[in-house]
Amino acid sequence: MKILLDTDLGNDIDDAITLSYLLKQPDCELLGITTVTPGAVDRAKLASAVCADLGRTVPIRPGAELPLAGEPLQEPPFSAAELLSRWPHETAFPSGAVPFLAEAILAHPGEVTLIAIGPLTNVGRLLRDHPETASQLKSLVLMGGRFFTGGETAEWNIRNDPAAAAIVFAAPIPHLRAVGLDVTRSVFLTEQDFRHRFGGLLLDFSGPWFARRDRVTFHDPLAAATLFEPLCGYQKGSITVEEDGTTKFTADPAGTHEVAQSVAVQAFFDHYFEIA
């Protein structure tokens, strides 16, 4: 499966876990990685370190640091300089994340799945500036939104750039799958369990996260893994987004949007650790 990954790797550890999973997944041909939100170059360096640790060379392009409208909510990557001092990585990257995505999609019409596990600024720019890519994608899979349970605020990835999310959900993509917070939040490991199961670079990269949290929730790895295993139940329909980033889902059997509504938690972990 030809995959492009758009990520805000460098804050929550689950982005790095996702990249590691995709690099180890034998059914994944990772065509490239783009980074998004403040500190995009440092995020690219961190992604490069994950690739280098696994002996892989993958094209990486730093992308947009600012949302389409308003100020960014995301802070730069936690402790990037300290982490990068311990792990080999590339230090310079070509620019042009959006043209890179467009070129890769158009070079393989109907074959590329774009996995978006951060705010949707790069993807929104892609679909705005290169609208022809929407119909040429095989699929867009994203971690984002909250669809079946309420909350005080909109989900983080969508809330960081609602204008970009609105473009994405309105685009004529043949298949769009959203794996939302109301499903992903049930897939987690405590710090103790994580330290028992993980080592090396991922354990090191998790340090700044555990300084702030006592668990790792596998939001992004779940979204990626649904491409390779039937881990979730889905409902078809259409997604719209409000100005504050709140997502609205309308069920429709003929809809082109597919929203996860349940997850087999143990099946996910069995699959993840079989690959990773």
Side-chain angles (χ1 to χ4, degrees):
M1 187 180 299
K2 291 178 170 58
I3 300 288
L4 290 166
L5 178 67
D6 186 68
T7 174
D8 60 343
L9 189 155
N11 296 82
D12 192 331
I13 184 61
D14 68 329
D15 291 77
I17 294 170
T18 304
L19 175 54
S20 178
Y21 165 81
L22 291 173
L23 291 168
K24 294 177 180 179
Q25 169 59 259
D27 295 327
C28 171
E29 180 185 354
L30 190 57
L31 300 179
I33 302 162
T34 54
T35 61
V36 67
T37 71
V41 173
D42 279 345
R43 297 182 194 282
K45 292 177 182 178
L46 292 165
S48 171
V50 178
C51 294
D53 184 57
L54 295 175
R56 297 286 299 277
T57 300
V58 179
I60 302 173
R61 302 289 187 273
E65 300 210 356
L66 301 177
L68 296 187
E71 296 299 318
L73 303 179
Q74 180 98 289
E75 60 184 307
F78 306 150
S79 307
E82 178 187 350
L83 295 174
L84 290 168
S85 71
R86 297 194 287 269
W87 298 93
H89 61 279
E90 296 179 32
T91 58
F93 306 90
S95 59
V98 169
F100 171 78
L101 292 173
E103 181 178 355
I105 293 164
L106 296 176
H108 305 282
E111 297 183 54
V112 175
T113 295
L114 174 56
I115 302 177
I117 55 174
L120 292 170
T121 310
N122 285 338
V123 184
R125 288 179 181 273
L126 168 72
L127 296 170
R128 182 194 67 186
D129 299 345
H130 303 272
E132 70 278 11
T133 60
S135 63
Q136 298 303 307
L137 276 168
K138 176 181 180 181
S139 180
L140 170 63
V141 174
L142 63 92
M143 187 280 133
R146 181 191 280 114
F147 303 102
F148 300 109
T149 60
E152 293 182 1
T153 60
E155 184 275 326
W156 178 254
N157 284 341
I158 306 302
R159 185 160 61 98
N160 266 267
D161 198 339
I167 293 171
V168 171
F169 293 134
I173 299 167
H175 173 257
L176 186 155
R177 173 180 294 168
V179 183
L181 182 65
D182 37 4
V183 171
T184 63
R185 68 194 316 170
S186 63
V187 184
F188 66 88
L189 291 178
T190 65
E191 179 178 357
Q192 180 179 4
D193 288 341
F194 185 91
R195 292 186 181 279
H196 177 71
R197 300 299 298 263
F198 286 85
L201 179 144
L202 290 179
L203 181 58
D204 189 29
F205 275 28
S206 72
W209 178 253
F210 284 131
R212 301 175 179 223
R213 301 286 192 275
D214 63 357
R215 65 174 58 185
V216 172
T217 304
F218 286 64
H219 306 286
D220 300 338
L222 175 61
T226 64
L227 287 167
F228 304 98
E229 286 291 324
L231 301 170
C232 291
Y234 301 97
Q235 190 169 0
K236 288 189 175 182
S238 61
I239 301 166
T240 56
V241 59
E242 304 295 326
E243 290 186 3
D244 66 351
T246 302
T247 45
K248 304 289 186 181
F249 175 69
T250 303
D252 180 356
T256 58
H257 296 165
E258 183 180 60
V259 172
Q261 61 180 355
S262 63
V263 58
V265 174
Q266 189 57 53
F268 165 77
F269 282 116
D270 290 345
H271 168 73
Y272 177 84
F273 287 114
E274 179 182 358
I275 298 297

